[in-house]
Amino acid sequence: MQNKIMKMEKAISGIGRDILLKEVDDNLDTITNYSQNLELSLGTIQSALNYFVQDEILELKKMGKNGTCIQKIDFKKLLSVLKIKYLLCCMPITYSQRYKKIMQDIDEGLKVPVPLYFSHMRGGYVRLKLVEEGVFHFGLVSKLAAQNSIKSGLNLEIIAEFGPKSYVTKHVLLKRKDSAIKIVGKDPESNDHIFLTNLNFQKNENIKILDIKYSEVIENLIEKKIDAAIWNYDDVLDKMIHLQNNNIAIEDLSENEGNVLATESVIVIRKNDEVIKNIFIKFFQK
């Protein structure tokens, strides 16, 4: 009995993922194809299709030799069957207009018939891990953070990209004018800060790296605990006078690939999460 229920659930899930990409007037795949692809009996596939029709998720019309045509799809019910009653997105704290605009673009662009909720938190690695663990359906990070985490073994994939300067305008180097660079601050909880610091300073063996909080970079510079640190240029704009008054200079970083990737927003999902992937293919208009 338990085995029969499991097979039925597999059939409903498999057929549901396929229907998620269909439109009204599309042809439904054949029972034989569903049976082969899902490795289930014809009877189980037919029972699953009957469930979709009886629950008014699907309205079908048999067209003889031309197959079966979809007349109606209730996507809200379909998503509920696929265990999606809402969507959760984790993203950076929206302290800048850029992040607020990205959140608005996602909210308006993801035209899905279930509620969408945002959670805001610092630390790209934390967001990536929470997506991988299934706490969130998808997350917003820099392309640099996403690519490095995937290379390091996190079971994730990029589902949407927004282009350069969609995450931040650029990163710059903040440094004290009255000292040579001997100690550089780095936030150990930020993928981008770790990589950018290593990328721009790892070749200099005479420089010491000190772990600090990203939000305390300027404070550490003023207190002379560090001599320099990489910072988001968007955060610098409203602190120009404060920086000048405290003898802190701003320098551009070189336009290498890593520095550019850190400026681009991407959306990541768990790898092989076909339901969420199909939701973005079906409903997301960037």
Side-chain angles (χ1 to χ4, degrees), residues 68-96:
T68 300
C69 180
I70 297 173
Q71 300 287 289
K72 175 188 171 184
I73 306 174
D74 188 324
F75 283 107
K76 186 173 183 179
K77 285 186 176 181
L78 176 60
L79 288 171
S80 180
V81 168
L82 294 171
K83 297 180 171 52
I84 301 292
K85 296 184 179 180
Y86 51 82
L87 289 173
L88 296 176
C89 169
C90 59
M91 64 176 294
I93 296 170
T94 53
Y95 55 81
S96 73

Side-chain angles (χ1 to χ4, degrees), residues 52-265:
F52 282 110
V53 173
Q54 291 167 5
D55 208 41
E56 298 183 344
I57 297 168
L58 275 183
E59 195 174 295
L60 303 173
K61 182 178 181 181
K62 292 184 179 180
M63 307 292 288
K65 293 181 180 179
N66 294 322
T68 300
C69 180
I70 297 173
Q71 300 287 289
K72 175 188 171 184
I73 306 174
D74 188 324
F75 283 107
K76 186 173 183 179
K77 285 186 176 181
L78 176 60
L79 288 171
S80 180
V81 168
L82 294 171
K83 297 180 171 52
I84 301 292
K85 296 184 179 180
Y86 51 82
L87 289 173
L88 296 176
C89 169
C90 59
M91 64 176 294
I93 296 170
T94 53
Y95 55 81
S96 73
Q97 289 300 318
R98 192 176 301 269
Y99 289 153
K100 290 177 182 177
K101 184 64 170 66
I102 282 285
M103 184 176 73
Q104 180 184 344
D105 287 348
I106 294 172
D107 192 29
E108 294 177 357
L110 194 53
K111 302 181 183 300
V112 63
V114 294
L116 170 60
Y117 301 107
F118 293 90
S119 181
H120 308 276
M121 62 190 72
R122 64 184 294 270
Y125 184 75
V126 174
R127 296 196 297 276
L128 289 163
K129 281 295 293 180
L130 290 173
V131 172
E132 185 194 40
E133 292 169 4
V135 177
F136 293 94
H137 296 107
F138 61 98
L140 182 80
V141 295
S142 75
K143 190 171 184 177
L144 178 67
Q147 287 186 348
N148 285 333
S149 295
I150 292 168
K151 287 178 183 177
S152 71
L154 290 191
N155 194 37
L156 301 166
E157 62 180 295
I158 295 172
I159 193 69
E161 303 178 11
F162 294 87
K165 299 188 178 182
S166 57
Y167 196 68
V168 300
T169 302
K170 61 181 178 179
H171 288 89
V172 294
L173 180 68
L174 300 186
K175 69 174 189 176
R176 289 169 49 204
K177 294 179 182 179
D178 60 354
S179 173
I181 298 177
K182 297 178 181 179
I183 303 175
V184 174
K186 178 193 70 177
D187 187 340
E189 294 185 13
S190 168
N191 295 51
D192 289 344
H193 214 235
I194 293 169
F195 186 87
L196 290 173
T197 302
N198 291 340
L199 177 67
N200 290 278
F201 289 102
Q202 65 184 357
K203 293 180 181 179
N204 194 327
E205 297 178 355
N206 298 320
I207 289 179
K208 177 184 176 182
I209 304 298
L210 180 67
D211 286 348
I212 61 171
K213 287 185 178 181
Y214 178 82
S215 59
E216 297 175 356
V217 163
I218 294 177
E219 178 184 332
N220 278 274
L221 283 167
I222 294 172
E223 294 177 358
K224 299 185 178 182
K225 293 179 180 178
I226 60 174
D227 302 310
I230 291 172
W231 231 44
N232 172 5
Y233 179 71
D234 299 326
D235 295 340
V236 172
L237 293 176
D238 63 347
K239 297 177 177 64
M240 289 290 194
I241 296 175
H242 183 55
L243 294 175
Q244 291 171 3
N245 291 341
N246 285 280
N247 215 26
I248 297 172
I250 304 166
E251 285 188 4
D252 283 332
L253 301 177
S254 61
E255 287 287 322
N256 59 48
E257 183 183 10
N259 290 336
V260 173
L261 288 175
T263 72
E264 179 172 358
S265 295

